[in-house]
Amino acid sequence: MSETLRRLADVIESRKLANGGDPATSYVAKLFSKGDDAILKKIGEEAAETIMAAKDARVSGDSSKVLYECADLWFHSMVMLAHFGLKPQDVLNELARREGLSGLEEKAARPADA
Ligand SMILES: N=c1c2ncn([C@@H]3O[C@H](COP(=O)(O)OP(=O)(O)OP(=O)(O)O)[C@@H](O)[C@H]3O)c2ncn1[C@@H]1O[C@H](COP(=O)(O)O)[C@@H](O)[C@H]1O
């Protein structure tokens, strides 16, 4: 896993209130203190901002804002993962499990009622 993701996951973990995170000095601790609805709301906002940035880039040809918004989305997704006791490595493991499995084949193999 990327060292940057690993270090960020460790910092996020350290910001949990149970680990001494202080909402007065830390954005992540403040988000944890507000609870999961606040974290999920941020993910919704950042996903929408990513979509808007991509639409703008389609017109302007400048993708720098897509990068910026996508980083916000990944970051807030990592806060959500930590909230649920998950790590970036768990997501990478799931992607690795899917490696080589065509999305079209996987969908076709689903039970009819799925
Ligand atoms: N990667 C990030 C990161 N990306 C975005 N953000 C913050 O996410 C917040 C939300 O972004 P918005 O653009 O939506 O800002 P806003 O509209 O003011 O949002 P709200 O305050 O209303 O939620 C901003 O305050 C950003 O600064 C981040 N805050 C922290 N990190 C990482 O988390 C670490 C720990 O941060 P602290 O817990 O604050 O020490 C940092 O060292 C960084 O590595």
Side-chain angles (χ1 to χ4, degrees):
M1 177 172 52
S2 137
E3 278 308 310
T4 306
L5 288 182
R6 192 195 310 276
R7 280 196 305 273
L8 179 55
D10 286 348
V11 171
I12 289 171
E13 196 62 29
S14 77
R15 298 300 201 252
K16 287 184 175 175
L17 307 191
N19 295 333
D22 179 0
T25 57
S26 154
Y27 173 77
V28 177
K30 192 172 168 194
L31 205 44
F32 278 135
S33 75
K34 290 180 179 172
D36 55 4
D37 274 345
I39 299 169
L40 300 180
K41 185 165 172 269
K42 285 308 295 181
I43 291 177
E45 285 173 18
E46 302 304 348
E49 285 169 18
T50 302
I51 292 167
M52 296 311 292
K55 281 177 170 285
D56 287 348
R58 200 163 56 183
V59 176
S60 69
D62 175 10
S63 59
S64 57
K65 193 139 189 284
V66 176
L67 200 60
Y68 184 87
E69 297 298 348
C70 198
D72 277 357
L73 180 58
W74 280 30
F75 164 68
H76 285 90
S77 297
M78 287 180 67
V79 175
M80 178 191 65
L81 288 175
H83 177 80
F84 289 107
L86 296 166
K87 296 194 175 304
Q89 187 61 54
D90 297 319
V91 178
L92 293 179
N93 291 347
E94 174 59 20
L95 291 174
R97 187 189 68 76
R98 296 178 190 180
E99 221 170 347
L101 178 64
S102 156
L104 296 179
E105 285 170 19
E106 182 276 328
K107 194 164 182 179
R110 284 183 200 166
D113 57 349

